[in-house]
């Protein structure tokens, strides 16, 4: 069955107390709406429609960044969840498959759960995702009769008996797209909230002879975010799960609670991650690589056998090939370090290609920025860059070439050549002793005077 996603994200999220639309607040480095899109992506949807309201332009952009085919429709007034879904009607005109309604502020629905719903859809016209609530609070209650879901009652409209029901509505609903929009056309707003409730489509559908059922998931999946406190709790839940998954996948985390993951972090089996390491988006670390304590990585790739840190920073475009060593206080950006290259201390390498087995001495800097443009530094294989070399890009250092410590490299260095570019040293015999005597005498005089 082909599927379309309808992701509701028009709510203004007043309790976030933020200029940023609620669904753009990040969890694990990705806007929460992207988490919903990722989960829904497990169903290989043919279309994705985002219903946006507050900050619609920014919401649309974030959705497009993740999925260039995502469409955003506007809900200018938040009249209820049925009205919100109705806003997607034109975008899905003529679509013959299933529609799945997800909430942009509910980031933890799993692909497996959506697959279970899709399986149940083979037997029922409408499938609702429910959960057994520890504290049912203000959730909509699912009124069932055996396998059959008869109706959903919103908290505000419940009687005592209905309020005692603990099986609650997550908000995720799956039905044939045409059926969904047909039913929504019949939804009114004569209820306690004066809203168009999506949940009303169950009773309406049942009266029309359609079948409905519930798939139950763990309550943790249905966690919705309405405040900064809930956002922080969601981040903690995300990190806890990411750590557990990494350990399960055979990654060594020396202090799991101090390692922070992004939504898309990929760590190979037997990779070792030391304490206080932070992964931003788009990082892959291959098997057997080691990330030492207090390192920060984003947008980079670390190959087998490589070591990073402690206190290293890998920025977007850093590509460390096998057995590369990047040590303390080293920053790498948009640069490839070929197999066996080493930059062990106090170095900035930006916009560069470093050859195999080349050694970058302490304090080396690629001067890649002239204030307007960025320029590239290219260094061949088996080169030796002396400590405190300034590589003024664009510049090329040949293979097996060497730069003397303190050299400011402004011209290309041919293969095998030694570049020396620093003031020549001159030794003055006995002058140090004379200097010391003079200075000490001056100090004694000063102390007596005070
Ligand atoms: C909804 C369900 C309730 C369920 C609960 C789970 C309805 C009527 N109620 O209640 O049964 O237990 O979710 O969390 O569906 N939204 C829009 N436009 C609107 C209204 C809502 O985009 O006009 C979006 C919100 O931004 C939010 C989602 O839809 O992401 C749910 O809306 P919300 O008002 O939070 O619904 P609840 O009252 O929590
Ligand atoms: Ca809600």
């Amino acid at each position: 069955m082909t599927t379309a996603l309808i992701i509701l994200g028009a709510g203004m999220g007043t309790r976030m107390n933020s200029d940023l639309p609620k669904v753009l607040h990040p969890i694990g480095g990705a806007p929460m709406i992207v988490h919903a899109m990722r989960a829904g992506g497990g169903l290989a949807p043919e279309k994705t429609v985002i219903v946006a309201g507050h900050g619609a332009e920014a919401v649309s952009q974030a959705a497009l960044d993740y999925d260039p085919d995502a469409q955003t429709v506007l809900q200018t007034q938040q009249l209820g969840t049925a009205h919100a879904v109705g806003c997607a009607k034109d975008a899905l005109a003529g679509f013959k498959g299933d529609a799945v309604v997800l909430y942009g502020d509910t980031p933890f629905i799993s692909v497996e759960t959506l697959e279970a719903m899709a399986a149940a859809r083979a037997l029922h016209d409408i499938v609702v995702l429910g959960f057994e609530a520890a504290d049912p609070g203000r959730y909509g209650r699912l009124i069932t009769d055996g396998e059959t879901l008869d109706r959903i009652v919103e908290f505000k409209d419940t009687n005592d008996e209905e309020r005692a029901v603990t099986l609650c509505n997550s908000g995720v609903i799956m039905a044939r797209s045409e059926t969904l929009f047909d039913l929504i056309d019949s939804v009114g707003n004569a209820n306690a909230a004066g809203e168009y409730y999506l949940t009303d489509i169950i009773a309406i559908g049942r009266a029309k002879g359609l079948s409905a059922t519930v798939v139950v998931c763990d309550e943790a999946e249905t966690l919705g975010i309405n405040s900064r406190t809930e956002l922080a709790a969601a981040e903690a839940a995300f990190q806890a799960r990411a750590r557990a998954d990494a350990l399960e996948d055979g990654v060594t985390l020396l202090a799991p609670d101090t390692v922070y993951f992004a939504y898309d972090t990929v760590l190979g089996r037997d990779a070792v991650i030391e304490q206080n390491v932070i992964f931003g988006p788009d990082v892959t670390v291959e098997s057997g690589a080691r990330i030492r304590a207090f390192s920060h990585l984003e947008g980079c790739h670390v190959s087998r056998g490589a070591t990073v840190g402690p206190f290293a920073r890998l920025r977007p475009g850093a590509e460390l090939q096998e057995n590369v060593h990047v040590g303390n206080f080293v920053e790498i950006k948009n640069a490839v370090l070929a197999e066996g290259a080493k930059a062990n201390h106090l170095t900035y390498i930006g916009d560069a290609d470093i050859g195999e087995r080349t050694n970058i001495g302490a304090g080396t800097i690629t001067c890649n920025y002239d204030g307007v443009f960025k320029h590239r530094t290219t260094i061949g294989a088996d080169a030796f860059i002396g400590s405190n070399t300034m590589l003024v890009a664009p510049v090329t250092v040949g293979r097996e070439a060497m730069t003397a410590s303190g050299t400011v490299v402004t011209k290309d260095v041919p293969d095998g050549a030694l570049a020396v570019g620093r003031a020549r040293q001159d030794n003055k015999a006995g002058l140090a002793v004379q200097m010391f005597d003079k200075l000490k005498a001056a100090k004694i005089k000063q102390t007596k005077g005070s």
Side-chain angles (χ1 to χ4, degrees):
M1 179 61 92
T2 57
T3 306
L5 305 179
I6 301 172
I7 303 182
L8 305 190
M12 67 188 287
T14 319
R15 284 172 59 208
M16 297 298 284
N17 190 13
S18 174
D19 291 336
L20 192 66
K22 177 166 81 171
V23 294
L24 295 189
H25 281 267
I27 296 169
M32 55 176 109
I33 198 164
V34 166
H35 289 262
M37 293 173 78
R38 265 168 75 90
L43 298 174
E46 200 163 286
K47 285 170 180 271
T48 297
V49 183
I50 312 289
V51 180
H54 295 273
E57 241 170 79
V59 171
S60 168
Q61 193 51 58
L64 288 172
D65 287 347
Y66 178 70
D67 173 3
D69 295 326
Q71 237 179 303
T72 298
V73 297
L74 201 61
Q75 185 195 27
T76 42
Q77 265 188 301
Q78 277 74 66
L79 302 178
T81 46
H83 179 260
V85 173
C87 293
K89 186 176 181 172
D90 289 347
L92 292 178
F95 179 71
K96 298 290 177 204
D98 267 9
V100 186
V101 178
L102 296 167
Y103 292 170
D105 64 0
T106 305
F108 296 138
I109 305 287
S110 72
V111 175
E112 293 72 23
T113 292
L114 294 177
E115 283 168 352
M117 289 181 74
R121 253 288 293 139
L123 305 171
H124 298 274
D125 297 308
I126 309 171
V127 180
V128 168
L129 181 63
F131 62 101
E132 278 296 338
D135 170 15
R138 306 189 66 80
Y139 289 115
R141 306 299 205 268
L142 301 183
I143 312 300
T144 53
D145 181 4
E147 286 246 306
T148 297
L149 174 63
D150 279 327
R151 58 202 168 86
I152 306 177
V153 190
E154 286 307 299
F155 174 78
K156 283 184 182 168
D157 303 294
T158 48
N159 59 34
D160 288 346
E161 196 186 325
E162 290 159 345
R163 219 164 297 157
V165 172
T166 54
L167 184 60
C168 291
N169 175 30
S170 71
V172 183
I173 290 188
M174 195 180 289
R176 200 178 158 80
S177 177
E178 289 170 330
T179 307
L180 181 69
F181 292 114
D182 261 5
L183 294 172
I184 282 173
D185 282 341
S186 309
V187 172
N189 66 347
N191 52 50
E195 282 181 19
Y196 294 89
Y197 290 157
L198 179 62
T199 45
D200 281 356
I201 68 167
I202 305 302
I204 295 167
R206 294 285 294 128
K208 289 187 172 180
L210 299 178
S211 69
T213 196
V214 181
V215 164
V216 176
C217 73
D218 196 281
E219 182 167 10
E221 287 189 37
T222 69
L223 182 77
I225 291 145
N226 303 293
S227 65
R228 301 275 186 170
T229 305
E230 287 169 1
L231 179 67
E235 180 71 38
F238 169 83
Q239 294 299 340
R241 207 184 43 193
R243 290 163 190 149
D245 287 351
L247 293 168
E248 192 71 22
D249 291 345
V251 175
T252 299
L253 303 178
L254 296 188
D257 288 348
T258 68
V259 176
Y260 290 83
F261 290 83
Y263 69 105
D264 59 353
T265 306
V266 178
L267 305 179
R269 193 159 163 261
D270 291 320
V272 177
I273 314 299
E274 295 186 2
Q275 296 84 345
N276 296 292
V277 170
I278 296 177
F279 294 104
D282 192 21
V283 174
T284 49
V285 176
E286 288 184 15
S287 285
R290 188 175 190 107
I291 313 299
R292 295 188 184 279
F294 295 98
S295 293
H296 188 287
L297 291 78
E298 60 182 320
C300 63
H301 175 77
V302 179
S303 303
R304 201 174 273 271
T307 61
V308 173
F311 300 98
R313 180 169 185 207
L314 301 186
R315 291 172 53 205
E319 154 86 25
L320 274 47
Q321 296 181 354
E322 291 189 14
N323 303 317
V324 161
H325 290 193
V326 166
N328 42 268
F329 309 109
V330 172
E331 174 181 343
I332 314 262
K333 184 217 74 173
N334 189 28
V336 180
L337 274 67
E339 191 173 343
K342 292 188 175 72
N344 274 325
H345 343 259
L346 298 161
T347 284
Y348 172 61
I349 298 176
D351 303 309
D353 294 285
I354 312 298
E356 291 171 18
R357 297 171 301 279
T358 283
N359 189 85
I360 307 288
T364 295
I365 288 175
T366 54
C367 309
N368 61 325
Y369 186 45
D370 58 18
V372 180
F373 296 105
K374 299 279 170 66
H375 302 282
R376 239 179 143 76
T377 299
T378 305
I379 302 176
D382 298 300
F384 183 91
I385 305 301
S387 294
N388 205 32
T389 295
M390 300 294 120
L391 297 151
V392 183
V395 73
T396 298
V397 177
R399 57 183 306 132
E400 295 174 62
M402 208 182 245
T403 67
S405 299
T407 292
V408 179
V409 181
T410 53
K411 291 186 293 200
D412 289 353
V413 182
D415 290 354
L418 167 67
V420 191
R422 61 187 185 204
R424 193 168 287 277
Q425 183 175 332
D426 193 7
N427 292 336
K428 314 276 188 197
L431 197 59
V433 174
Q434 281 178 42
M435 285 281 282
F436 275 130
D437 289 348
K438 203 167 144 187
L439 290 169
K440 282 175 191 160
K443 190 168 185 186
I444 289 163
K445 199 172 160 193
Q446 196 186 53
T447 318
K448 279 184 182 156
S450 66

